[in-house]
């Protein structure tokens, strides 16, 4: 992942008296459907919290801790694999583990989002949790210089498992929140930052003192327990929509939404550069001669400020607007990526970690509300988010390996920094076009409303 007032808010509309009765039967009394006149279509009430709502937010937070929190910690593995555990492979090849893990977490969203819309929430989250736990323990058995073992367990297996859980856990928050949805989703998104703070600290200390197996076992045990708790906390509130928009129809409809298309394209292009600091900043610091005490914690500093960056937009989204905030965050990331060209000292790496962490946190926390905000009906939320995230996964898949290839075995750091920064700026340019389209849409609606009031 209340979202921005710019994109149309997603609401649930009842289509028949049968749908009304089913909803009332499955919804608590304080969340009943408001019945209005035929001229004003009925709108579903949202509790905007409650015990079940906030328990679901906590469960989704913990899933993010174990999911993207794990993916965002790959910089620790990248440095350790490159220098110690899989030293027979290049940095570019090793980055495929992290790239596939992150991209699978996103690609699977196209399937998991659709299944969520069909009512398979519990199947996806429990199935994903079991698969993730199995793969984490299989990773403990991986041998040194056996790239394929780490790739299959950590890259492919964990990536698929995280993808099964990710989008349903984000989308289920929309069952409880509408006006405060952006705040709830940013809290959920901050879970990955918390995971990427705690896990690198644990991994860096264990990898360099007790070795790979001990670190992998400790990490697997931690995440296994958290995933079980997370799945037990989350609950759905609303029944599945009585009808679902066919996938082909959804593609055709969404492709006619110019602002949505520009937003998705912006996410794809930006994501090509986005993972460069996350995957390579620790290795970059290490190769520039920083002490182990500093380079171990550069990624942690980045993720601490990413945590702050994910929380703060939730309090500004209603005033500033999700599209405006996410575009500003993406622009900040782009500038900092280019600034990595000159990173050589302790101070420069710390400044980069702080700035990039905060801007990246803003971007990640608002991507879900941005995509959900384009939905014209509640039944579109899963599809809009699934398609948007699946497309952005392309960038996550290819970005890290291209940057590793540009880095070469000679560690020429300016090349991947320029590549990442330029692609990120191109993504920002597409987001600016999206903002213009949203503004024009709002202007046209205001004019239409003014004309209608004059005629009345």
């Amino acid at each position: 992942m209340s979202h921005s007032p710019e994109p149309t808010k997603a609401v649930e509309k009842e289509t028949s008296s049968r749908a009304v009765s089913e909803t009332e039967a499955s919804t608590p009394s304080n969340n009943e459907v408001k019945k209005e006149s035929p001229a004003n279509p009925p709108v579903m009430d949202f509790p905007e919290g409650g015990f079940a709502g906030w328990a679901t937010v906590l469960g989704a937070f913990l899933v993010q801790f174990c999911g993207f929190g794990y993916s965002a910690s790959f910089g620790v593995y990248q440095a350790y694999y490159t220098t110690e555990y899989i030293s027979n492979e290049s940095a570019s090849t090793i980055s495929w583990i992290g790239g596939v893990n992150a991209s699978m977490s996103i690609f699977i969203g196209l399937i998991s989002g659709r299944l969520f819309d069909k009512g398979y929430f519990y199947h996806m989250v429990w199935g994903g949790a079991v698969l993730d736990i199995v793969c984490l323990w299989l990773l403990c058995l991986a041998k040194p210089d056996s790239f394929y073992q780490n790739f299959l367990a950590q890259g492919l297996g964990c990536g698929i498992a995280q993808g099964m859980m990710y989008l349903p856990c984000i989308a289920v928050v929309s069952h409880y929140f509408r006006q405060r949805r952006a705040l709830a989703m940013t809290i959920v998104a901050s879970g990955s930052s918390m995971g990427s703070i705690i896990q690198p600290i644990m991994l860096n200390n264990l990898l360099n003192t007790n070795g790979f197996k001990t670190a992998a076992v400790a990490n697997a045990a931690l995440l296994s327990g958290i995933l079980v708790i997370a799945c037990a906390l989350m609950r759905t509130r609303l029944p599945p929509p009585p009808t679902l928009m066919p996938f082909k129809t959804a593609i055709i409809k969404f492709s006619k939404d110019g602002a949505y298309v520009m937003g998705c394209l912006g996410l794809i292009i930006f994501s090509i550069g986005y993972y460069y600091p996350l995957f390579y900043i620790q290795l970059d610091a290490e190769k520039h001669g920083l002490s182990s005490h500093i380079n171990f914690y550069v990624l942690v500093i980045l993720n601490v400020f990413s945590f702050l960056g994910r929380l703060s937009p939730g309090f500004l989204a209603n005033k500033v607007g999700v599209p405006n905030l996410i575009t500003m965050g993406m622009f900040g990331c782009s500038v900092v990526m280019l600034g990595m060209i000159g990173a050589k000292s302790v101070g420069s790496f710390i400044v980069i970690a702080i700035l990039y962490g905060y801007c990246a946190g803003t971007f990640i926390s608002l991507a879900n509300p941005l995509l959900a905000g384009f939905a014209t009906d509640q039944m579109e939320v899963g599809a809009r988010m699934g398609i948007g995230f699946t497309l952005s996964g392309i960038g996550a898949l290819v970005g890290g390996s291209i940057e590793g290839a540009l880095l070469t075995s000679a560690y020429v750091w300016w090349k991947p920094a320029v590549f990442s920064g330029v692609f990120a700026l191109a993504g920002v340019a597409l987001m600016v076009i999206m903002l213009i389209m949203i503004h024009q849409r709002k202007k046209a609606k205001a004019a239409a409303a003014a004309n209608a009031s004059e005629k009345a």
Side-chain angles (χ1 to χ4, degrees):
M1 257 61 149
S2 66
H3 42 274
S4 169
E6 279 86 344
T8 308
K9 293 186 177 181
V11 298
E12 288 204 1
K13 299 181 180 178
E14 300 162 283
T15 58
S16 66
S17 59
R18 181 180 177 183
V20 174
S21 61
E22 288 176 354
T23 304
E24 290 175 341
S26 61
T27 307
S29 59
N30 63 332
N31 300 323
E32 291 179 353
V33 176
K34 290 181 179 178
K35 296 181 180 179
E36 303 176 10
S37 66
N40 298 302
V43 177
M44 179 71 72
D45 274 344
F46 288 77
E48 303 296 343
F51 178 79
W54 289 115
T56 298
V57 168
L58 176 59
F61 174 94
L62 295 176
V63 169
Q64 297 303 303
F65 181 102
C66 302
F68 271 102
Y70 184 76
S71 299
S73 304
F74 183 73
V76 176
Y77 287 106
Q78 177 76 36
Y80 186 75
Y81 288 165
T82 302
T83 57
E84 299 286 341
Y85 206 68
I86 316 180
S87 56
N88 61 326
E89 300 287 353
S90 67
S92 177
T93 300
I94 291 170
S95 70
W96 277 103
I97 299 173
V100 169
N101 177 279
S103 62
M104 284 295 105
S105 299
I106 299 169
F107 281 147
I108 302 300
L110 187 62
I111 301 171
S112 62
R114 191 66 172 173
L115 290 173
F116 170 82
D117 288 339
K118 290 184 177 182
Y120 291 99
F121 172 77
Y122 296 107
H123 301 75
M124 298 304 296
V125 295
W126 279 104
V130 170
L131 178 59
D132 202 18
I133 290 170
V134 169
C135 291
L136 286 168
W137 287 102
L138 286 175
L139 180 63
C140 303
L141 305 177
K143 304 298 183 184
D145 294 327
S146 297
F147 168 79
Y148 74 94
Q149 294 179 351
N150 296 74
F151 176 81
L152 291 175
Q154 186 175 15
L156 195 59
C158 289
I160 292 172
Q162 292 161 14
M164 291 172 65
M165 297 182 287
Y166 174 67
L167 201 56
C169 292
I170 294 290
V172 75
V173 173
S174 67
H175 281 201
Y176 295 91
F177 299 89
R178 185 172 64 191
Q179 297 300 322
R180 304 169 73 185
R181 187 175 295 172
L183 174 61
M185 285 186 171
T186 52
I187 292 173
V188 171
S190 66
S192 59
S193 285
M194 184 61 71
S196 56
I197 292 169
I198 294 174
Q199 292 183 72
I201 293 174
M202 179 181 72
L203 289 169
N204 271 319
N205 282 283
L206 290 176
L207 284 171
N208 292 277
T209 56
N210 300 90
F212 177 79
K213 186 172 183 179
T214 301
V217 167
N219 205 37
L222 173 68
L223 299 190
S224 296
I226 291 175
L227 283 172
V228 171
I229 294 171
C231 291
L233 285 170
M234 293 182 291
R235 290 289 183 271
T236 59
R237 185 181 75 90
L238 303 175
T243 58
L244 287 176
M245 183 184 297
F247 184 72
K248 183 178 179 181
T249 305
I251 292 291
I252 293 172
K253 179 182 179 181
F254 300 165
S255 65
K256 294 178 181 178
D257 185 343
Y260 176 77
V261 171
M262 287 296 106
C264 289
L265 290 175
L267 292 178
I268 295 172
I269 302 302
F270 179 81
S271 294
I272 293 175
Y274 170 76
Y275 288 93
Y276 171 62
L278 297 177
F279 285 4
Y280 289 100
I281 192 169
Q282 181 168 324
L283 182 62
D284 192 354
E286 183 176 331
K287 292 299 179 181
H288 274 94
L290 273 67
S291 68
S292 60
H293 180 72
I294 297 297
N295 66 52
F296 282 2
Y297 290 98
V298 158
L299 186 61
V300 174
I301 294 170
L302 186 154
N303 287 316
V304 166
F305 281 87
S306 178
F307 177 76
L308 299 176
R310 294 180 198 223
L311 283 179
S312 56
F315 301 96
L316 301 172
N318 286 336
K319 294 181 180 179
V320 181
V322 170
N324 296 321
L325 279 176
I326 194 172
T327 303
M328 288 187 285
M330 291 166 67
F331 178 74
C333 288
S334 307
V335 173
V336 177
M337 286 181 208
L338 292 173
M340 289 184 71
I341 297 171
K344 294 181 175 63
S345 64
V346 172
S348 61
F349 275 103
I350 291 176
V351 169
I352 285 171
I354 291 172
L355 295 177
Y356 190 82
Y358 188 85
C359 294
T362 301
F363 163 69
I364 285 294
S365 68
L366 294 176
N368 290 302
L370 175 74
L371 295 172
F374 286 104
T376 56
D377 191 274
Q378 184 71 20
M379 73 172 65
E380 290 184 9
V381 171
R384 291 265 188 179
M385 293 169 65
I387 292 171
F389 270 92
T390 298
L391 293 174
S392 68
I394 298 171
L397 178 63
V398 303
S401 59
I402 294 174
E403 289 143 9
L406 291 171
L407 183 61
T408 71
S409 58
Y411 298 106
V412 183
W413 292 103
W414 70 266
K415 290 182 179 180
V418 170
F419 172 84
S420 303
V422 168
F423 267 85
L425 283 173
V428 172
L430 290 168
M431 299 299 282
V432 171
I433 297 173
M434 177 199 71
L435 291 177
I436 294 171
M437 289 182 171
I438 291 173
H439 177 72
Q440 291 175 340
R441 181 184 299 173
K442 287 180 62 181
K443 192 174 179 181
K445 285 183 178 180
N451 290 335
S453 62
E454 287 176 2
K455 291 179 181 179

